[in-house]
Amino acid sequence: MNPAEPWLSIVEDARYYPSPHNSQPIKVRPVDSRTAEVYYDLDLGLPAESFGIPFGHVCAGVFLESLRTVAGGLGYDVAENLDHSEMDFGSPDRLHFLGTVTLTPRTATADDVARLQLFRVRGTSRRPYDARPVPAEVVAAASDVADAGGHTFRTTSDRSTVRRLVHINQATLFSDLRNDAVYDEIMAWLRFSKQDARQRADGLSAEAMLMPGSLLRFAMTHRGLWDAPVIGGAVRTMYLNTMRGVRQLGWLEGPFANPSDYIEAGRTFMRLWLELTAHGVRLHPFGTVITNPGSHRAFASAVAADEGGSRMAWMLFRFGYSKTPPVAHRRPATSMLIGAGA
């Protein structure tokens, strides 16, 4: 039997897991038809901000929950044997071992199939939201999911707080542009044309960010102009226009001190995302607010986050209702598989 199967079929769906900058760093090496090794490709990580390094493991947790969701819908249980060692982005071995996963065939339930369908329609929406509040019962259901993972889901619809956090998110971009390492990292993942986005099948496309590619390219390659009164103001206005209709923001607080915590955080976030998707709610993570130390402090202060002990407010996002966003491109499933004739 070709050991690439059933892994190729599973990865065909699982490759649509969300990742920072749509970098898609997870690789899978089939050992046989039931066992595979999972790796994080350090060359596809985002280590420029020290706070960004833990999100390698958060991304791994997101992927592992995605894999479990897809495999369940296709009729498999997944057992994990994980390695929780720290990621070393200076290592000569560019594939960081995350652990081994093993499949056990079973009959998929109706809930398994429904959950797989939610995963298939899940997406990040950077479109303007329509300002409808998300019902309290939906927020409560998402809170239950977070609680089950040992985390707390908090939200705000206070207009001044929402406005403050949106402006912190905007200011983060300007701050990151002044950091050469972060700027270079962002530029490596921007896709300014539809053709480039389609061919590379990764990164942040101008289309998904709702900005004309030529204007985004000019603005990003002339970052010094962002401080100019006229051009800087125009860029700020254009960016804030994509935030129209933001009525609510949500964030997650919980254990965030080591790779095991980071993986479980990512797993919880994916489960919460699917719960919101089940109710027709879309979301857009404000990841750089968390990874930029100054922005993180401002955010945590603005919401009086509980960051005592090993806890951290580690995820911030807008959520609500919007038109269907463009589907982000993904690399083919074969590019995610190592060996096995893939």
Side-chain angles (χ1 to χ4, degrees), residues 219-301:
M220 294 301 294
T221 55
H222 297 81
R223 56 176 165 159
L225 294 176
W226 286 52
D227 290 321
V230 176
I231 295 179
V235 172
R236 285 178 173 87
T237 299
M238 179 177 64
Y239 182 78
L240 288 175
N241 279 341
T242 68
M243 297 291 167
R244 292 195 310 274
V246 177
R247 179 73 176 268
Q248 290 169 291
L249 295 173
W251 63 96
L252 286 159
E253 301 172 1
F256 207 80
N258 54 58
S260 177
D261 288 344
Y262 310 148
I263 286 176
E264 292 310 307
R267 202 189 304 274
T268 297
F269 182 48
M270 192 70 236
R271 290 172 179 165
L272 183 143
W273 200 329
L274 293 178
E275 179 65 33
L276 291 175
T277 300
H279 297 279
V281 177
R282 302 189 185 277
L283 64 83
H284 170 204
F286 291 173
T288 53
V289 171
I290 302 300
T291 58
N292 179 300
S295 296
H296 179 265
R297 287 192 297 271
F299 151 61
S301 175

Side-chain angles (χ1 to χ4, degrees), residues 62 85 123 272:
V62 167
S85 59
L272 183 143

Side-chain angles (χ1 to χ4, degrees), residues 139 142-155 250-255 265 268-269 272 299 304-306 311-317:
V139 173
S143 295
D144 289 344
V145 171
D147 289 345
H151 293 261
T152 302
F153 177 41
R154 295 179 57 197
T155 71
W251 63 96
L252 286 159
E253 301 172 1
T268 297
F269 182 48
L272 183 143
F299 151 61
D306 175 8
R311 292 177 64 84
M312 178 173 162
W314 56 270
M315 180 59 68
L316 171 67
F317 53 92

Side-chain angles (χ1 to χ4, degrees), residues 1-264:
M1 178 182 293
N2 180 0
E5 285 297 347
W7 297 106
L8 185 59
S9 297
I10 292 172
V11 168
E12 182 60 40
D13 273 313
R15 67 194 174 105
Y16 285 95
Y17 72 100
S19 60
H21 291 4
N22 191 23
S23 58
Q24 305 166 47
I26 304 299
K27 303 291 185 181
V28 176
R29 186 199 305 273
V31 175
D32 55 40
S33 62
R34 292 292 176 263
T35 306
E37 297 169 344
V38 182
Y39 295 85
Y40 185 97
D41 187 336
L42 296 172
D43 288 332
L44 301 177
L46 305 175
E49 292 275 23
S50 59
F51 273 29
I53 294 174
F55 278 82
H57 278 106
V58 173
C59 180
V62 167
F63 172 76
L64 289 168
E65 185 62 25
S66 301
L67 176 70
R68 185 179 299 276
T69 299
V70 172
L74 297 179
Y76 297 94
D77 276 327
V78 178
E80 301 171 356
N81 183 15
L82 301 183
D83 182 333
H84 293 119
S85 59
E86 297 276 1
M87 290 187 187
D88 176 9
F89 280 86
S91 172
D93 183 354
R94 305 310 292 163
L95 290 177
H96 175 87
F97 180 64
L98 292 168
T100 301
V101 292
T102 303
L103 304 175
T104 301
R106 63 169 172 80
T107 301
T109 67
D111 285 346
D112 292 328
V113 174
R115 187 172 173 80
L116 172 55
Q117 183 57 28
L118 288 176
F119 179 80
R120 287 170 171 165
V121 301
R122 178 217 61 83
T124 300
S125 179
R126 295 178 174 84
R127 290 187 178 278
Y129 289 19
D130 67 11
R132 278 182 293 156
V134 174
E137 59 269 23
V138 176
V139 173
S143 295
D144 289 344
V145 171
D147 289 345
H151 293 261
T152 302
F153 177 41
R154 295 179 57 197
T155 71
T156 182
S157 56
D158 176 74
R159 291 184 184 275
S160 63
T161 304
V162 168
R163 184 164 54 250
R164 170 69 176 145
L165 295 180
V166 166
H167 278 272
I168 289 173
N169 183 56
Q170 178 212 45
T172 302
L173 177 58
F174 285 74
S175 171
D176 285 346
L177 288 176
R178 297 184 181 95
N179 181 322
D180 289 343
V182 178
Y183 171 76
D184 290 343
E185 194 173 79
I186 292 172
M187 289 297 290
W189 292 106
L190 286 177
R191 307 292 177 249
F192 298 107
S193 70
K194 290 183 179 180
Q195 180 180 6
D196 191 30
R198 184 172 59 253
Q199 289 178 343
R200 297 197 189 194
D202 62 10
L204 300 170
S205 71
E207 180 184 18
M209 298 172 71
L210 306 180
M211 294 185 180
S214 57
L215 179 58
L216 181 62
R217 183 192 298 274
F218 177 83
M220 294 301 294
T221 55
H222 297 81
R223 56 176 165 159
L225 294 176
W226 286 52
D227 290 321
V230 176
I231 295 179
V235 172
R236 285 178 173 87
T237 299
M238 179 177 64
Y239 182 78
L240 288 175
N241 279 341
T242 68
M243 297 291 167
R244 292 195 310 274
V246 177
R247 179 73 176 268
Q248 290 169 291
L249 295 173
W251 63 96
L252 286 159
E253 301 172 1
F256 207 80
N258 54 58
S260 177
D261 288 344
Y262 310 148
I263 286 176
E264 292 310 307

